[in-house]
Amino acid sequence: MVTVKKAVELEDIREDLSEIFVTNHFNLFSFLFKEKDKEAKKQKTKEALFKAFLHAFSLENFYVALGEEQAIGMLGISDNKKRAMTLEPKEFKKCLGGKGKLCYEKVKHLSYPISHYADDTAFLEEIEILEEFKDQNAEEELINYAVSNTPYKIYITEIFGDQEELYKVYKKCGFVEIERHLISDGGKQRYSVILKKVKK
């Protein structure tokens, strides 16, 4: 059974949020080590990344899916005043040395302001669920809890055309597709899909 709580209500949750984020995006940081690097070095690199991201999460903006024994997923909500994640280059440099700048460049867009949003509008960030728990309905629980427990009237999110199961979850939660366009992502083309929900 999955329960959802606000991150700010949970003790020592930053470590869990960082671990979930880095684990789900570890391939993004593969440039930090070579193919011949042993598993021990990769684990050391992963732990350095965990520390580098500790600062990034605004706990007031995150909701956490909890399994029986651990945090299994999370969802951030941003608005025109604050993004759910705020990334500091100095933190990456402190934890990752000379490659910290490259890491920051890979993810800095996650803290770009979205000041063009109206005051009554929120943006649901990418849902992060650990792979081994993806069959536990955590996405739906996170979406419904976050929408029910925040004061916004309009909720917007972006997913991609290959995320068919997540698309179904958002539709089940009352979101409707309002825009779809082709984008180039890492040399590949795929659809960006914008979904919207108006809370009654």
Side-chain angles (χ1 to χ4, degrees):
M1 181 180 171
V2 175
T3 58
V4 177
K5 289 192 175 182
K6 294 179 181 179
V8 74
E9 297 173 351
L10 300 168
E11 290 185 18
D12 302 320
I13 196 62
R14 283 188 185 278
E15 289 84 356
D16 295 292
L17 299 183
S18 186
E19 186 170 347
I20 292 168
F21 183 85
V22 171
T23 300
N24 279 9
H25 296 280
F26 196 52
N27 288 341
L28 190 64
F29 307 107
S30 59
F31 66 88
L32 289 168
F33 45 81
K34 301 171 185 175
E35 282 186 26
K36 63 183 180 181
D37 284 347
K38 295 183 178 177
E39 208 55 44
K41 185 170 182 183
K42 288 185 180 180
Q43 185 58 36
K44 190 176 179 181
T45 301
K46 195 178 253 191
E47 288 170 3
L49 283 164
F50 291 162
K51 292 177 182 175
F53 278 95
L54 280 177
H55 76 283
F57 306 96
S58 170
L59 299 186
E60 298 83 4
N61 294 65
F62 271 91
Y63 297 84
V64 184
L66 301 165
E68 291 183 9
E69 299 181 358
Q70 68 179 98
I72 65 170
M74 62 187 187
L75 169 62
I77 288 193
S78 299
D79 59 25
N80 61 10
K81 296 177 180 63
K82 192 172 188 180
R83 286 295 294 264
M85 292 180 74
T86 303
L87 301 162
E88 296 289 345
K90 63 182 181 182
E91 293 294 330
F92 288 92
K93 184 177 180 180
K94 182 172 74 177
C95 298
L96 299 162
K99 292 186 177 179
K101 185 176 181 181
L102 285 172
C103 283
Y104 172 74
E105 291 296 321
K106 291 270 187 182
V107 293
K108 65 181 182 181
H109 64 282
L110 296 173
S111 61
Y112 286 167
I114 49 174
S115 52
H116 57 286
Y117 276 47
D119 288 345
D120 66 351
T121 303
F123 179 73
L124 276 65
E125 303 283 357
E126 182 177 352
I127 298 176
E128 306 285 356
I129 307 292
L130 291 173
E131 186 66 35
E132 61 266 37
F133 300 104
K134 286 195 172 178
D135 61 347
Q136 296 192 20
N137 206 34
E139 291 95 339
E140 185 178 344
E141 295 289 340
L142 279 165
I143 294 165
N144 285 333
Y145 188 93
V147 170
S148 297
N149 288 275
T150 48
Y152 307 101
K153 181 178 180 182
I154 298 169
Y155 294 82
I156 304 285
T157 194
E158 178 186 30
I159 64 170
F160 298 98
D162 54 354
Q163 295 178 299
E164 294 177 9
E165 291 305 314
L166 186 57
Y167 182 86
K168 291 176 184 176
V169 172
Y170 270 110
K171 294 282 281 186
K172 188 176 178 182
C173 293
F175 283 73
V176 295
E177 182 178 332
I178 59 169
E179 185 181 329
R180 179 181 290 246
H181 58 275
L182 203 57
I183 61 169
S184 180
D185 183 17
K188 297 179 181 178
Q189 287 196 322
R190 60 177 177 164
Y191 280 100
S192 163
V193 182
I194 307 299
L195 298 159
K196 176 182 177 179
K197 176 173 182 165
V198 179
K199 190 161 68 176
K200 296 178 181 178

